[in-house]
Amino acid sequence: SLRVWSIHLRKCMRRIKLDGSSRAIAWSPDGSFLALGFGGSNGDMTVTSKDGAYMILRADNLEVLQEDRKAKQDISDLKFSQCGRYLIVGSIDGKIYVHSIEKAYMLSASSDKLADDIVWFDVSKNGDLIQAGTPSGEIALFETQTCKRLSNMLAYKDVEFSTMNKP
């Protein structure tokens, strides 16, 4: 289930039952929406129909607004860009998926597959770049709008990211 708690009141304010395991969650920059990424076994390692799906909910009432599945395997991370234009989804299928919020979360770009799972990613403050990492230590830099991989990472060394998961 998904539960939204009030820290001040110390009680659950809203909850819904989910029909799959979720391992990633993100709040939109303005706090109006929640994004959930699905995947992960319930201990028995079986693949479910929700693995690789994402869901968008209204934060105030947990109404499901959008649900889709582009990834082939579990969602490992997802984030709204700080600029509010994108929902970016990372999957253990080794790909990044960029959805346009302005176009009703339509898939606008996806990356080529990396050699390993995507386990984390960060989005630049202006929303133009994504840096992603794998368990083997590979770090890749992508242009957000096209998901094109950028080869000269040193040229972007001064870019500020809204989160910093890079080890």
Side-chain angles (χ1 to χ4, degrees), residues 6-59:
S6 166
I7 294 173
H8 177 70
L9 299 174
R10 295 184 180 184
K11 72 177 196 174
C12 181
M13 304 302 289
R14 294 176 294 288
R15 79 174 129 213
I16 61 167
K17 184 168 174 43
L18 301 173
D19 54 348
S21 297
S22 176
R23 64 165 57 192
I25 188 167
W27 287 87
S28 65
D30 66 1
S32 298
F33 304 100
L34 284 163
L36 295 173
F38 288 91
S41 69
N42 295 326
D44 59 4
M45 301 306 286
T46 57
V47 176
T48 71
S49 63
K50 285 282 194 188
D51 292 355
Y54 74 90
M55 179 185 289
I56 306 298
L57 304 120
R58 286 177 48 109

Side-chain angles (χ1 to χ4, degrees), residues 54-57 63-68 99 104-106:
Y54 74 90
M55 179 185 289
I56 306 298
L57 304 120
E63 173 190 0
V64 177
L65 300 175
Q66 171 86 12
E67 189 171 350
D68 199 4
H99 299 268
Y105 296 95
M106 185 172 90

Side-chain angles (χ1 to χ4, degrees), residues 52 70-76 89-97 111-118:
K70 299 294 185 222
K72 304 275 190 261
Q73 294 177 320
D74 303 354
I75 302 303
S76 54
V89 178
S91 172
I92 65 169
D93 67 7
K95 295 178 79 172
I96 296 282
Y97 300 86
S111 70
D112 290 335
K113 184 175 173 25
L114 295 181
D116 207 347
D117 308 349
I118 301 288

Side-chain angles (χ1 to χ4, degrees), residues 153-161:
M153 290 183 69
L154 281 177
Y156 303 96
K157 66 180 172 57
D158 294 327
V159 171
E160 290 186 44
F161 288 86

